[in-house]
Amino acid sequence: MFPTTPSSPAEPAVPHAGGVSEDEFRTALSRFTAGVVLVTAHDPEEGPRGEDVGMTATAFMSVSLDPPLVMVSVRNGSRMDELLERQPHWAVSVLSESQRHIAGRFAMKGRISDRLLFEDMSVVRGEHTDAPLAVGSLATLECRTEQRVTAGDHTLVVARVLAAAAPAAEGGPLTYFRGRYRALG
């Protein structure tokens, strides 16, 4: 038998069908350190010259070396989700510790238009995707979607890496831990 603990007078968090509440899940996963990336794509259908779209992500990972595949998780119904559903080409900038302001800018809720977010940011255009790549990033990847998998309230977008570069040799990565951006060290 396992020891039991007396129930507390406070209302317990309501668990999902799987047995864990959103608060418990968030708290546990906030202890997992993640790298921070900027995911970008160019929407050619928005306006006469198109529009760049970006989002900060911590749910990004390498999937395969052969072929080279990566994956990002995007919230269902978000602007990025809707764009990546029809635009297969996108890019990732692995943010450095000096790019915290970029991460914060593209993670804001109720944020301003994407056009204004990119306005004073130094970017270069991806040769394969036409997506903006943040100057000063530790690494950049240009990608083409190969598969989309619905997973709860997010979609996992698996993509083939078309080009990869490591333009910035100095500085450490920007990380996310316990709800805050942090630098290693």
Side-chain angles (χ1 to χ4, degrees):
M1 281 298 281
F2 295 102
T4 58
T5 56
S7 26
S8 84
E11 286 275 326
V14 179
H16 286 274
V20 64
S21 73
E22 285 182 15
D23 288 342
E24 291 167 330
F25 185 66
R26 264 194 202 105
T27 299
L29 289 184
S30 75
R31 291 348 190 238
F32 179 72
T33 302
V36 182
V37 300
L38 176 64
V39 178
T40 57
H42 183 73
D43 186 353
E45 297 175 15
E46 190 67 38
R49 284 181 254 135
E51 183 176 51
D52 295 327
V53 176
M55 72 167 230
T56 301
T58 56
F60 173 78
M61 63 182 274
S62 164
V63 174
S64 169
L65 186 59
D66 186 17
L69 299 175
V70 294
M71 183 200 74
V72 68
S73 177
V74 297
R75 181 178 301 280
N76 293 342
S78 67
R79 175 89 201 282
M80 187 61 75
D81 178 44
E82 291 170 1
L83 177 56
L84 295 185
E85 193 168 22
R86 61 185 165 78
Q87 165 59 286
H89 294 99
W90 49 281
V92 173
S93 298
V94 178
L95 299 180
S96 71
E97 58 195 359
S98 66
Q99 294 177 309
R100 181 182 303 214
H101 63 288
I102 293 172
R105 174 186 295 191
F106 285 92
M108 289 187 297
K109 291 187 194 273
R111 64 187 206 199
I112 58 177
S113 78
D114 283 286
R115 183 172 286 117
L116 293 175
L117 292 174
F118 283 102
E119 197 169 73
D120 65 346
M121 193 174 134
S122 295
V123 298
V124 295
R125 292 261 163 217
E127 183 180 330
H128 301 277
T129 61
D130 197 34
L133 300 165
V135 172
S137 297
L138 295 178
T140 58
L141 304 163
E142 291 189 78
C143 308
R144 183 186 66 235
T145 300
E146 296 219 337
Q147 186 176 9
R148 291 174 51 89
V149 179
T150 301
D153 59 3
H154 278 65
T155 296
L156 307 178
V157 182
V158 178
R160 181 176 298 258
V161 176
L162 305 173
E170 297 299 316
L174 182 61
T175 61
Y176 194 73
F177 179 71
R178 289 192 174 186
R180 292 182 43 210
Y181 296 119
R182 302 174 189 261
L184 287 181

